[in-house]
Amino acid sequence: MSIRENLEAIRAEIDAAARETGRTGADITLVGASKMNDAAACQEAIAAGIDALGENRVQEMTAKLAEDAYRGAPLHFIGHLQRNKVKQVVGKAVLIHSVDSLHLAEKIEQEAAKRDLTADILLEVNVAREESKFGLMLEEVIPLLEEVKNLPHVRVRGLMTIAPNVENPEENRKHFKKLYQLYVDIKNKNIDNGTVSILSMGMTNDFEVAIEEGATMVRIGTAIFGERNYAHQI
């Protein structure tokens, strides 16, 4: 199947899952995780109506920017971001999904201030407490949010998680429920000054469950672009 056909199938599945929660597919932002897919594939996804493209690695993102890979769609940075590479991402990505420390937020603030812009970010949460994953523990999120909201050039737009890689997506429902509850608590208590509106959770294997549990944004790669060829990574 082509990228367009894959995208149409995913859109239908997103819409069906969203309707379980009284929403529609139009309420869910679909980010195409374009890691290890070339500029032509990115442009094919954009032509087929992808909402945004998300890159995991700064080096690959920079190379594809030079090829005009993202023309026509917003670019998100969805991978782990090292502080020494922040300057390559701020001003390029409209949303950084993976902020998990005050030090990283302060570096983003510094680079955004230099460019006289506001950097939109998500706080990454390691809901399942996996040792192999980056991210904040649930109890660390609100204290960090209280700190970051004082940075004038950084705006917290929501929360993100990468759930465990499981065969049965139902196993991740409990993790999505926990993050959704925290998301609602933040909004109800207005801890965020009203800026939090994004809950980025769910990938190819579990996005339907994530949407049923309140995701507003999903990050899907393989189901759109096909299996990645790791032999050709940049």
Side-chain angles (χ1 to χ4, degrees):
M1 292 176 70
S2 69
I3 288 175
R4 180 176 292 277
E5 290 169 325
N6 289 341
L7 199 53
E8 288 173 356
I10 291 293
R11 289 281 194 199
E13 292 168 3
I14 287 173
D15 186 66
R19 288 181 185 278
E20 293 290 323
T21 68
R23 300 176 293 168
T24 72
D27 298 308
I28 312 299
T29 301
L30 174 55
V31 180
S34 45
K35 173 182 176 182
M36 296 180 195
N37 287 279
D38 61 16
C42 291
Q43 280 296 301
E44 189 177 342
I46 291 168
I50 197 80
D51 295 326
L53 289 172
E55 289 294 346
N56 289 71
R57 299 170 67 244
V58 174
Q59 185 178 356
E60 181 176 351
M61 183 195 82
T62 302
K64 283 151 75 171
L65 277 167
E67 297 176 307
D68 209 16
Y70 314 113
R71 176 175 32 85
L75 171 62
H76 294 191
F77 189 80
I78 61 177
H80 177 63
L81 180 57
Q82 297 172 303
R83 278 178 282 167
N84 64 351
K85 294 185 178 178
V86 165
K87 62 186 176 183
Q88 295 169 263
V89 174
V90 171
K92 302 292 193 304
V94 301
L95 184 65
I96 300 171
H97 287 229
S98 47
V99 177
D100 61 0
S101 72
L102 181 59
H103 289 311
L104 178 55
E106 288 174 335
K107 184 63 176 177
I108 293 170
E109 163 70 24
Q110 179 185 338
E111 293 299 332
K114 287 179 185 176
R115 294 162 174 76
D116 192 27
L117 56 81
T118 299
D120 284 339
I121 68 168
L122 304 181
L123 299 183
E124 181 175 358
V125 189
N126 185 351
V127 183
R129 296 177 179 269
E130 294 182 276
E131 291 185 6
S132 61
K133 297 253 178 77
F134 295 100
L136 301 156
M137 299 297 106
L138 283 164
E139 64 274 14
E140 296 173 327
V141 173
I142 289 177
L144 179 59
L145 178 55
E146 295 278 13
E147 296 266 16
V148 174
K149 74 179 186 181
N150 296 318
L151 300 177
H153 297 88
V154 174
R155 180 168 52 197
V156 179
R157 297 297 315 283
L159 307 177
M160 181 272 259
T161 195
I162 301 172
N165 185 12
V166 294
E167 287 190 14
N168 180 3
E170 284 295 328
E171 294 178 30
N172 282 336
R173 190 177 292 276
K174 60 182 180 290
H175 303 308
F176 297 142
K177 279 182 182 289
K178 287 179 182 177
L179 194 62
Y180 177 74
Q181 188 56 60
L182 178 60
Y183 169 79
V184 170
D185 287 347
I186 289 169
K187 289 169 68 67
N188 286 344
K189 295 173 183 175
N190 200 28
I191 297 165
D192 60 309
N193 294 331
T195 64
V196 166
S197 61
I198 298 170
L199 188 55
S200 175
M201 58 185 193
M203 299 191 293
T204 290
N205 65 325
D206 57 14
F207 70 88
E208 291 165 297
V209 172
I211 292 169
E212 289 168 4
E213 294 303 329
T216 69
M217 180 178 288
V218 294
R219 310 174 308 275
I220 299 178
T222 304
I224 295 172
F225 295 101
E227 293 294 332
R228 295 186 176 105
N229 184 351
Y230 286 87
H232 294 120
Q233 62 182 313
I234 296 174

